[in-house]
Amino acid sequence: CGRVANEQDFGKEQSKSYKAFQGDISLGTREISFRIKAHDPRKIEPFDKNWTKYGGKSSKWTYDEGDTQEDFFRHRIGKHPTASMILASIPISEDEEQIPEKAKFLTHSAFSLSPANETEALLLDNRRDITIFQGLSMFSSKYSDELNPLPQTIKAKWDKHERKGTLTISLYIRSQSLNMSLKDRNMSDLMGAWYSVFPFKLSDLTNGRLIDKTFVGNSKSNVNQERVANEERYNEEAKVISAAHSFKCSTGNGGGVSENDNSLSGMLRRYYKEALVDDYSNPHLCLSHRRKRTLDVHVQLYRCGYMRPGPAIYLNKEDLTLMTSNTSITSLISPIKSTLSSFGGLLQQLENLGHSAVDHIDGLNVELFDFQSQSVSWALERERLPGGIQNYLYAPLPQPTIYNGACFE
């Protein structure tokens, strides 16, 4: 009939229980909701012929979607799944309608199949949470259990009647291994996703630079209308940012306004301003105009082992589409890339193009120029910053949802 006939666990890989080490600190617990799209054995060869012949003629040949969903959960996910198994169960396509229904049962070459051919899937209610599993999977595969800087416990529950499931992740930082991974880009990606910092808007990361509108002529297709709307939205946001600039950059490509946001969100925003340039210029992350640039593309490439996701992690979906459809973004970002190739260019990129001016300075009997009063304001802000200027190097992590304190053996 095409259903799993046995209720026992078939030895699928399950995650190990978290073992506390001295100095481990809890980052809290996240609950991630999911649904299941199970395969329909009535549409899979060679079982389809049996269902045509016997379907509905006895209680044994009555199809129940809830039963097949529970089969999927018990035999593929389990109560303690690994991040890798969860990741492998998430479909490439964000559109459920594109998940195949008809299939052919194979007894060989199963490992050569593309995940795009799967007829069942684990569907995250918030697809952006996939970034968490990508990070956890990467660290688990790269480090042993004792050296993993981000040990975790993953528990899964499935409610057959409600047809809803929950993945509960308890995450920890292992201080003795943390130094090995602080420079790892995946750490920033994972922390931003774990604390729901993402997504950013493209205008947040481009310092108010405008883009040219794409000429669409008389075309009134939905695609072109969406493109024009995205371009107009971006430019309006960029104009607000550029309006705060009191000066022009000496090169025309770099500079910005110094931000005083020392939260995790503020630090990651500054970080991804730099990452955007490298991601966009990377040949493996470049934007192909022959293929739609979405989170799905990155999921597919990640699952095939080619690369880690790029801007799809930290940019909203509308701006990913914009980066695909508007070629002027290349002319916007490429000069920044070339500017950063020299020490002088790095200094120009750090130019402060406008800062709030100080109202009055005790002890001065001369009138300052605008750029001087802005410089004094900038210096005073950093002198009075709680924790000092070092706060720009370290961002405190938010308090976890459920905090267990330090863990000891």
Side-chain angles (χ1 to χ4, degrees), residues 210-216 227-228 231-233 235-236 239 326-328:
L210 299 177
I211 58 174
D212 298 327
K213 293 183 179 180
T214 303
F215 177 74
V216 296
R227 179 185 305 175
V228 171
E231 292 169 353
E232 291 177 347
R233 171 190 53 79
N235 276 338
E236 288 301 316
K239 288 176 182 178
N326 191 296
T327 56
S328 68

Side-chain angles (χ1 to χ4, degrees), residues 244-250 254-258 351-355 374:
H245 296 180
S246 302
F247 309 104
K248 292 184 178 180
C249 177
S250 59
V257 177
S258 297
E351 288 180 357
N352 192 350
L353 302 184
H355 206 76
Q374 290 172 341

Side-chain angles (χ1 to χ4, degrees), residues 45-257:
E45 297 180 18
F47 312 117
D48 54 348
K49 295 180 181 178
N50 294 332
W51 278 98
T52 301
K53 184 176 182 180
Y54 302 110
K57 295 181 179 181
S58 71
S59 58
K60 294 182 179 180
W61 286 92
T62 301
Y63 173 73
D64 185 286
E65 185 180 17
D67 289 339
T68 55
Q69 289 173 337
E70 191 171 33
D71 287 343
F72 176 94
F73 178 78
R74 286 191 293 108
H75 297 293
R76 180 165 181 169
I77 304 300
K79 295 180 179 179
H80 301 279
T82 63
S84 298
M85 177 53 70
I86 295 170
L87 191 63
S89 303
I90 298 173
I92 290 174
S93 176
E94 188 173 356
D95 184 359
E96 294 180 32
E97 299 300 323
Q98 294 185 9
I99 300 175
E101 291 188 347
K102 294 184 179 181
K104 186 176 182 179
F105 182 76
L106 299 179
T107 57
H108 57 82
S109 304
F111 291 103
S112 65
L113 290 175
S114 164
N117 293 326
E118 290 203 52
T119 58
E120 54 187 8
L122 185 149
L123 306 170
L124 299 178
D125 286 356
N126 180 6
R127 189 171 173 84
R128 193 167 287 276
D129 287 332
I130 194 174
T131 304
I132 295 175
F133 297 109
Q134 288 169 339
L136 295 179
S137 176
M138 190 285 302
F139 282 110
S140 296
S141 62
K142 188 174 182 180
Y143 299 99
S144 65
D145 292 339
E146 293 75 16
L147 295 178
N148 189 346
L150 291 171
Q152 76 275 172
T153 296
I154 303 178
K155 297 180 181 179
K157 291 183 179 181
W158 175 253
D159 189 321
K160 178 181 177 180
H161 300 291
E162 295 291 333
R163 298 191 180 185
K164 295 180 180 179
T166 303
L167 295 164
T168 303
I169 308 173
S170 298
L171 187 60
Y172 303 84
I173 278 187
R174 181 150 291 163
S175 56
Q176 67 183 39
S177 306
L178 191 57
N179 287 338
M180 297 187 301
S181 57
L182 282 177
K183 295 181 180 180
D184 196 314
R185 163 71 177 271
N186 291 279
M187 179 65 78
S188 298
D189 293 344
L190 180 54
M191 287 297 100
W194 180 257
Y195 289 107
S196 302
V197 173
F198 306 137
F200 295 129
K201 295 184 293 186
L202 181 62
S203 57
D204 289 334
L205 309 181
T206 53
N207 288 326
R209 295 175 179 85
L210 299 177
I211 58 174
D212 298 327
K213 293 183 179 180
T214 303
F215 177 74
V216 296
N218 296 323
S219 175
K220 296 182 179 180
S221 68
N222 291 335
V223 174
N224 284 327
Q225 289 180 354
E226 179 184 5
R227 179 185 305 175
V228 171
N230 280 334
E231 292 169 353
E232 291 177 347
R233 171 190 53 79
Y234 169 83
N235 276 338
E236 288 301 316
E237 294 169 353
K239 288 176 182 178
V240 173
I241 295 173
S242 61
H245 296 180
S246 302
F247 309 104
K248 292 184 178 180
C249 177
S250 59
T251 62
N253 296 319
V257 177

Side-chain angles (χ1 to χ4, degrees), residues 184-376:
D184 196 314
R185 163 71 177 271
N186 291 279
M187 179 65 78
S188 298
D189 293 344
L190 180 54
M191 287 297 100
W194 180 257
Y195 289 107
S196 302
V197 173
F198 306 137
F200 295 129
K201 295 184 293 186
L202 181 62
S203 57
D204 289 334
L205 309 181
T206 53
N207 288 326
R209 295 175 179 85
L210 299 177
I211 58 174
D212 298 327
K213 293 183 179 180
T214 303
F215 177 74
V216 296
N218 296 323
S219 175
K220 296 182 179 180
S221 68
N222 291 335
V223 174
N224 284 327
Q225 289 180 354
E226 179 184 5
R227 179 185 305 175
V228 171
N230 280 334
E231 292 169 353
E232 291 177 347
R233 171 190 53 79
Y234 169 83
N235 276 338
E236 288 301 316
E237 294 169 353
K239 288 176 182 178
V240 173
I241 295 173
S242 61
H245 296 180
S246 302
F247 309 104
K248 292 184 178 180
C249 177
S250 59
T251 62
N253 296 319
V257 177
S258 297
E259 298 180 6
N260 296 319
D261 186 356
N262 294 317
S263 66
L264 178 64
S265 176
M267 176 168 282
L268 289 178
R269 188 182 299 108
R270 291 191 294 272
Y271 176 83
Y272 286 103
K273 281 184 179 180
E274 308 301 328
L276 177 68
V277 178
D278 289 329
D279 287 346
Y280 193 87
S281 304
N282 189 317
H284 296 292
L285 295 171
C286 64
L287 306 180
S288 170
H289 299 286
R290 296 184 300 275
R291 181 170 63 180
K292 187 178 180 182
R293 170 78 164 191
T294 67
L295 185 61
D296 300 332
V297 173
H298 293 287
V299 174
Q300 179 178 9
L301 293 174
Y302 181 88
R303 288 171 66 175
C304 295
Y306 296 143
M307 54 169 262
R308 61 153 184 80
I313 283 181
Y314 54 86
L315 284 182
N316 62 34
K317 188 174 181 179
E318 292 77 15
D319 283 330
L320 286 173
T321 304
L322 177 62
M323 292 178 71
T324 306
S325 61
N326 191 296
T327 56
S328 68
I329 292 186
T330 302
S331 61
L332 181 150
I333 294 180
S334 295
I336 302 176
K337 178 70 175 179
S338 60
T339 298
L340 298 176
S341 61
S342 66
F343 186 73
L346 285 171
L347 292 178
Q348 292 166 353
Q349 182 68 7
L350 294 174
E351 288 180 357
N352 192 350
L353 302 184
H355 206 76
S356 57
V358 67
D359 294 330
H360 174 73
I361 303 174
D362 292 334
L364 283 183
N365 54 8
V366 294
E367 185 176 349
L368 298 179
F369 290 107
D370 287 342
F371 75 90
Q372 292 175 318
S373 61
Q374 290 172 341
S375 298
V376 172

